[in-house]
Amino acid sequence: MSSKIDLDNLTYLKGIKSYREFVEKEFLNILESVSGKKAIIIDPDLVGALSLILEIPVLKEHNVDKLIPLSSEPFKTQIKKLVFLVRPQMSSMKKVADQIIQHEQNQTKKDSVEQNFYVFFVPRVTIICKKILEQLGVSGSVIYGEFHLDLIPFDEDVYSLANEKAFRDFVLGDISSLYYISRALVNIQSFIGIIPEIYYMGKHSKILSEMLLRMRQESDLDDSLTPQVKYLVIVDRENDLLTPMVTQLNYEGMIDELYGISHTLVELDPNVLGKEGKIEKEKAILNSNDLLFSELRDLNMALVSPFLVKKARSVSSQYDTRKQARNIGDLKNFIKKLPNIQREHASLGTHVSLTMDIGAKTTGNSDFLERLDYELNLLVESQQCDDYIEDCIAQQKDLISVLRILCLQSMVIGGFKNKKFDFFRNEIIQTYGYRHVFTLDSLEQLGMLKKSEGRSKRGFAQIRKSLDLIDENYENTKHFSSVHSGYAPQIIKLVQILFNSNQGYNVFKDLANNFYTPDVGRKRQEISIQAKEEMKENTEKHVCMVFFVGGVTFAEISAIRILNQMEQTGVHFVIGTTHITNGNKIIESTFEKVEDNILQKKKDEFLRNKKIRLREKQQEQLQKQLLKKEKQEKGKKKN
């Protein structure tokens, strides 16, 4: 099965197939521009993204002899043309320079060949990267180019820039990713038509919407093309950092939590799939090319096993039809269906094995159940779990896991009191290392971990009530809150309100302004009279792309799919995003590699501040004792 999604039978966004073919053709033209046999040295982050655009055998047809992951480790090759395919990031430039210098040095040897070097940046070359290569002494040896790998179809309804570092860039204050997003959205409109209505929510989304309109005016988009998407809703991930901290409980989300999904691929130990004796990890493709997975992915984990039992009976009954064949015609029909039955059988085996392993790690694991219980109590009743968090730190449990529950509690209760905040901060630094002073600073900057500012009218308790986020009867109502066993993702709830005929934009704007951000608004893009008329004649649902700036979780993607099935809005939703994320990735993005000298300074500062706080506390206690003694003496004099 291919990780490249089949787009032949799309109901919505039919222009996406042409768009992907255009991107594939652009890449093949790049390969053709470098004549002869060549090796591609590719940024590891781009391998998965490229596989979603074209099949690896296509590379061989265009004289690509080797595909080598970019690293600082030297490699030997006699191939004359070396093509680097990289993101415009400083860390990648050092690796590119190391490889080129290594190969240039080898060219002085008698048995070496003269080599040419090409660096193609994805999605565009930057001045700073060229300067870095120049400073490293290799720019004169390099021919530069660009490959505009923009929105990639991860599935029929999910389109991503696959920029895993986007959220971290935003954390560090770098908003250059907004340019790439804007250009990607302009480019895709050449194939799906101009999107007439744009809504935004968040500071980055506002900037993006303005850039989008400006770029559209500078481009030559055809405004007579019938829009395949009527609405674009752009939302900042930073509006809701609470939801990704909650454990994903839909099937695809749970796979991502436990094993990690990258570009629709999950790597599994052979024993998970019942393949004993093998050493190398097995790769499983998770997209709607697998019809069984497309039925499973959005289900709450409690419903997965019963569904698989039912499906196993169905597959078994399909095999049994061969026994009922009465003539050669019946047998021929069975043989015709056999490849599909066998594919479904193989898929069933994979998902049964995977579900059993998930069960052992979750419902069969008391630690997991305990954590889940604390999470749900926090979400439903704002019930704090200080003792549990303290125990996790004392047992030195995985730091990312500890920080997820700590940040979740902080965001639910509106922050910790000063004393408790300092306590948890000190415990984490002393248990996990002084380098995490930077991690905690970043989490505080994002508002994920903070000190309490007293009772707030904009806290989670008010959001929970105003947005009706909790549905304890989710199993019977088939509500999208099932992705978190009763808790509805906040952004999806706001999108539902925006397109609900009884609520709409004004209610959406009031809620967003009250609880999330002052940067909420809408803009329009003009289209031709002909395009407007054709849109009116369209009998299908209008399409809305919900674009997440800073990442979307698999649970949120499933929630949007379930919202489509609820049929309350008259709109069909698809997802656009910078990348697919989860709580672990968001926490990990705040980790920093710190030089030893900087770390020592931070450690000294931490210890110095600790001494100051201790001295202040001692002085405070001494002052209390003096006041108490003074009162006692006054009492004696009166007597």
Side-chain angles (χ1 to χ4, degrees):
M1 192 190 301
S2 171
S3 56
K4 183 180 175 183
I5 190 69
D6 181 6
L7 299 175
D8 287 335
N9 300 307
L10 287 177
T11 305
Y12 303 95
L13 269 73
K14 294 178 181 178
I16 287 293
K17 185 181 178 185
S18 299
Y19 166 74
R20 187 175 67 183
E21 288 170 352
F22 172 81
V23 175
E24 181 179 1
K25 188 177 179 181
E26 183 187 351
F27 184 68
L28 296 180
N29 287 340
I30 287 170
L31 296 183
E32 289 299 316
S33 70
V34 181
S35 60
K37 189 183 286 187
K38 58 195 76 76
I40 294 179
I41 300 93
I42 185 169
D43 190 323
D45 289 345
L46 290 170
V47 175
L50 194 63
S51 70
L52 294 168
I53 295 296
L54 49 80
E55 308 282 0
I56 297 301
V58 174
L59 297 177
K60 293 189 180 293
E61 293 170 15
H62 289 77
N63 292 316
V64 176
D65 191 66
K66 285 185 178 180
L67 194 66
I68 303 165
L70 176 67
S71 71
S72 298
E73 294 296 317
F75 65 89
K76 291 183 179 180
T77 181
Q78 293 295 307
I79 298 171
K80 292 182 179 181
K81 308 288 177 69
L82 300 184
V83 180
F84 293 85
L85 195 66
V86 293
R87 295 276 190 196
Q89 293 163 350
M90 287 182 278
S91 57
S92 296
M93 294 308 97
K94 179 68 170 66
K95 293 173 184 176
V96 169
D98 287 346
Q99 295 295 355
I100 291 173
I101 290 167
Q102 179 72 31
H103 284 279
E104 284 181 331
Q105 289 172 350
N106 288 339
Q107 285 179 23
T108 59
K109 297 176 182 178
K110 289 182 180 180
D111 60 342
S112 65
V113 296
E114 186 176 342
Q115 293 174 314
N116 302 114
F117 308 102
Y118 305 79
V119 178
F120 286 90
F121 291 90
V122 182
R124 71 177 183 125
V125 65
T126 62
I127 294 170
I128 191 166
C129 285
K130 289 179 76 172
K131 281 191 174 180
I132 289 170
L133 287 175
E134 189 179 324
Q135 288 169 0
L136 293 169
V138 298
S139 64
S141 312
V142 174
I143 298 169
Y144 294 111
E146 294 180 342
F147 173 40
H148 304 128
L149 184 63
D150 294 324
L151 279 175
I152 304 162
F154 272 49
D155 219 307
E156 294 176 350
D157 56 353
V158 181
Y159 312 101
S160 173
L161 273 79
N163 183 0
E164 301 291 331
K165 294 183 172 64
F167 183 80
R168 177 164 175 76
D169 288 344
F170 293 138
V171 171
L172 297 173
D174 179 2
I175 61 170
S176 59
S177 296
L178 295 178
Y179 172 84
Y180 303 137
I181 302 168
S182 181
R183 197 186 64 179
L185 290 170
V186 169
N187 288 346
I188 205 169
Q189 287 177 87
S190 299
F191 297 87
I192 64 170
I194 292 168
I195 303 170
E197 297 184 39
I198 300 172
Y199 299 88
Y200 63 85
M201 176 182 161
K203 62 181 180 181
H204 296 131
S205 296
K206 183 180 180 181
I207 296 168
L208 176 57
S209 67
E210 291 166 351
M211 289 176 71
L212 188 55
L213 291 182
R214 192 162 57 248
M215 279 190 184
R216 185 263 162 116
Q217 289 171 354
E218 295 167 358
S219 69
D220 56 352
L221 288 177
D222 183 1
D223 65 358
S224 66
L225 194 64
T226 306
Q228 296 175 27
V229 175
K230 185 177 181 181
Y231 310 103
L232 173 64
V233 179
I234 310 170
V235 290
D236 283 14
R237 174 74 278 164
E238 288 180 46
N239 288 323
D240 175 23
L241 289 168
L242 185 152
T243 296
M245 298 303 110
V246 183
T247 303
Q248 302 174 82
L249 294 173
N250 61 308
Y251 182 60
E252 188 169 20
M254 184 57 76
I255 294 172
D256 189 43
E257 292 278 2
L258 296 177
Y259 312 98
I261 299 173
S262 178
H263 304 97
T264 75
L265 288 173
V266 59
E267 288 192 350
L268 302 166
D269 289 328
N271 62 302
V272 172
L273 300 175
K275 297 181 179 180
E276 303 295 339
K278 284 196 172 185
I279 300 172
E280 289 187 7
K281 288 195 171 187
E282 296 272 331
K283 288 184 179 179
I285 298 168
L286 303 175
N287 61 28
S288 55
N289 287 350
D290 180 349
L291 297 179
L292 176 57
F293 178 68
S294 67
E295 294 179 274
L296 285 169
R297 67 196 318 174
D298 305 323
L299 293 179
N300 181 276
M301 280 306 303
L303 303 175
V304 172
S305 291
F307 182 90
L308 288 172
V309 170
K310 187 178 177 181
K311 186 60 70 173
R313 288 178 185 145
S314 171
V315 171
S316 179
S317 66
Q318 289 180 70
Y319 276 120
D320 288 343
T321 57
R322 76 183 187 278
K323 298 175 185 176
Q324 298 164 10
R326 297 178 181 177
N327 52 51
I328 196 69
D330 291 345
L331 194 58
K332 187 178 178 181
N333 286 335
F334 172 76
I335 291 169
K336 190 177 178 181
K337 295 175 183 176
L338 188 58
N340 287 335
I341 298 171
Q342 288 173 329
R343 270 195 297 272
E344 192 172 9
H345 188 184
S347 175
L348 183 65
T350 297
H351 292 296
V352 166
S353 298
L354 195 47
T355 302
M356 288 175 67
D357 195 64
I358 290 171
K361 288 179 167 69
T362 56
T363 54
N365 184 330
S366 58
D367 286 348
F368 177 86
L369 293 175
E370 183 184 21
R371 181 191 179 87
L372 197 61
D373 193 41
Y374 280 117
E375 274 188 18
L376 292 174
N377 285 336
L378 263 173
L379 293 168
V380 176
E381 301 172 3
S382 300
Q383 187 176 318
Q384 298 184 43
C385 53
D386 292 358
D387 291 343
Y388 171 72
I389 297 170
E390 196 175 334
D391 287 344
C392 288
I393 296 169
Q395 294 170 37
Q396 296 186 22
K397 290 193 174 179
D398 176 60
L399 177 59
I400 290 176
S401 176
V402 170
L403 289 175
R404 272 182 75 166
I405 190 74
L406 184 67
C407 289
L408 178 61
Q409 176 163 316
S410 176
M411 287 184 281
V412 166
I413 66 173
F416 295 98
K417 290 181 180 178
N418 289 359
K419 189 176 179 181
K420 184 61 71 173
F421 179 89
D422 291 339
F423 170 76
F424 279 130
R425 185 180 173 87
N426 293 341
E427 287 294 299
I428 286 169
I429 292 167
Q430 290 176 349
T431 304
Y432 297 99
Y434 290 96
R435 67 181 64 251
H436 290 296
V437 170
F438 296 95
T439 303
L440 296 170
D441 286 347
S442 294
L443 292 172
E444 192 173 353
Q445 180 188 331
L446 285 165
M448 295 172 68
L449 185 63
K450 60 183 182 179
K451 294 179 180 179
S452 172
E453 297 173 355
R455 300 190 82 178
S456 170
K457 293 180 180 179
R458 302 175 64 181
F460 178 74
Q462 287 74 27
I463 294 173
R464 180 173 58 205
K465 184 178 178 181
S466 299
L467 269 65
D468 193 20
L469 295 178
I470 306 299
D471 181 4
E472 296 186 41
N473 195 33
Y474 66 90
E475 290 181 17
N476 296 324
T477 57
K478 295 183 179 178
H479 193 266
F480 56 80
S481 58
S482 64
V483 298
H484 291 298
S485 288
Y487 164 74
Q490 295 175 46
I491 290 172
I492 315 307
K493 192 72 180 180
L494 286 164
V495 169
Q496 182 188 31
I497 289 166
L498 176 59
F499 290 99
N500 188 307
S501 57
N502 297 322
Q503 295 172 301
Y505 174 71
N506 289 333
V507 177
F508 164 82
K509 186 179 181 183
D510 287 345
L511 288 167
N513 283 153
N514 288 339
F515 297 123
Y516 298 97
T517 173
D519 297 312
V520 183
R522 57 181 170 183
K523 298 180 182 294
R524 294 187 183 276
Q525 296 193 100
E526 284 302 315
I527 56 175
S528 69
I529 295 171
Q530 178 192 341
K532 287 178 183 176
E533 290 300 320
E534 288 174 352
M535 278 188 74
K536 286 179 183 176
E537 292 170 8
N538 181 20
T539 56
E540 294 178 342
K541 286 183 174 183
H542 290 302
V543 176
C544 170
M545 177 181 283
V546 183
F547 196 98
F548 291 78
V549 179
V552 62
T553 68
F554 282 110
E556 288 170 319
I557 291 171
S558 287
I560 286 178
R561 291 193 183 114
I562 297 167
L563 180 59
N564 280 331
Q565 295 164 15
M566 289 167 67
E567 297 183 350
Q568 290 182 353
T569 60
V571 174
H572 181 82
F573 298 98
V574 297
I575 301 101
T577 185
T578 49
H579 63 296
I580 296 175
T581 191
N582 58 36
N584 292 348
K585 289 177 182 177
I586 287 175
I587 294 293
E588 199 170 9
S589 71
T590 65
F591 288 10
E592 290 189 37
K593 291 180 180 177
V594 187
E595 299 294 332
D596 288 341
N597 60 336
I598 299 173
L599 185 62
Q600 187 60 47
K601 285 180 183 176
K602 203 71 178 177
K603 182 178 178 179
D604 292 343
E605 183 187 338
F606 172 79
L607 292 172
R608 189 164 55 250
N609 289 338
K610 190 177 177 182
K611 284 180 182 177
I612 291 168
R613 285 195 298 270
L614 184 62
R615 197 179 302 122
E616 286 173 350
K617 193 175 180 180
Q618 288 172 343
Q619 287 174 349
E620 189 181 332
Q621 288 174 345
L622 183 62
Q623 197 170 5
K624 283 180 180 178
Q625 287 173 359
L626 289 171
L627 285 169
K628 188 178 178 181
K629 191 175 181 182
E630 192 177 326
K631 282 181 182 179
Q632 287 173 348
E633 287 176 356
K634 283 181 180 179
K636 286 178 183 178
K637 286 178 181 178
K638 284 180 182 180
N639 293 332

